[in-house]
Amino acid sequence: MTERIPCKSEGCSAVILPATFHKTGGYCMPCQQRKERQERQEYIVKHRREINLYEGISDPVELLKLMHSSRPHDPLIEYTPYELSKEQLYITLSEECGQTGGLCR
């Protein structure tokens, strides 16, 4: 039977095979994966940038189009929300239509 080696992580009671020890530098796979997740999260926090898609746009229709458009998920990008909700923009748009005698854009 192969002798198992204790995991290097403090507080971890797992024992691992010598092949795993050499592959991970002495950590069991759960500890190794936790370490990798933590490193990835630190990288994301350090390199994340904020993007304001609504900057310079004042037309409610264009703003609503942007709000309803789908964007691919990227953990390195954080989108700034618009100061008004979709509902508030729709109300604004409805009020504009009422002021023009029911003729909307």
Side-chain angles (χ1 to χ4, degrees), residues 4-91:
R4 293 180 174 253
I5 305 165
C7 176
K8 283 176 38 175
S9 289
E10 190 175 317
C12 181
S13 61
V15 288
I16 57 177
L17 294 170
T20 306
F21 182 88
H22 293 296
K23 180 179 178 181
T24 63
Y27 296 98
C28 65
M29 287 310 285
C31 290
Q32 177 68 19
Q33 290 168 346
R34 186 179 315 110
K35 183 176 142 192
E36 289 171 358
R37 276 192 308 273
Q38 184 178 16
E39 289 170 356
R40 171 108 173 107
Q41 189 60 35
E42 288 171 3
Y43 177 85
I44 288 170
V45 168
K46 184 178 179 182
H47 293 92
R48 183 176 285 157
R49 53 194 173 134
E50 196 170 285
I51 295 179
N52 185 354
L53 295 174
Y54 309 106
E55 187 174 358
I57 300 174
S58 59
D59 181 29
V61 174
E62 290 301 318
L63 291 168
L64 286 167
K65 284 181 183 179
L66 278 174
M67 286 181 171
H68 285 290
S69 65
S70 62
R71 295 179 281 278
H73 175 70
D74 186 347
L76 295 175
I77 296 176
E78 189 172 291
Y79 294 102
T80 305
Y82 190 65
E83 62 255 12
L84 298 175
S85 68
K86 292 176 191 173
E87 292 79 13
Q88 291 170 320
L89 274 174
Y90 277 114
I91 290 171

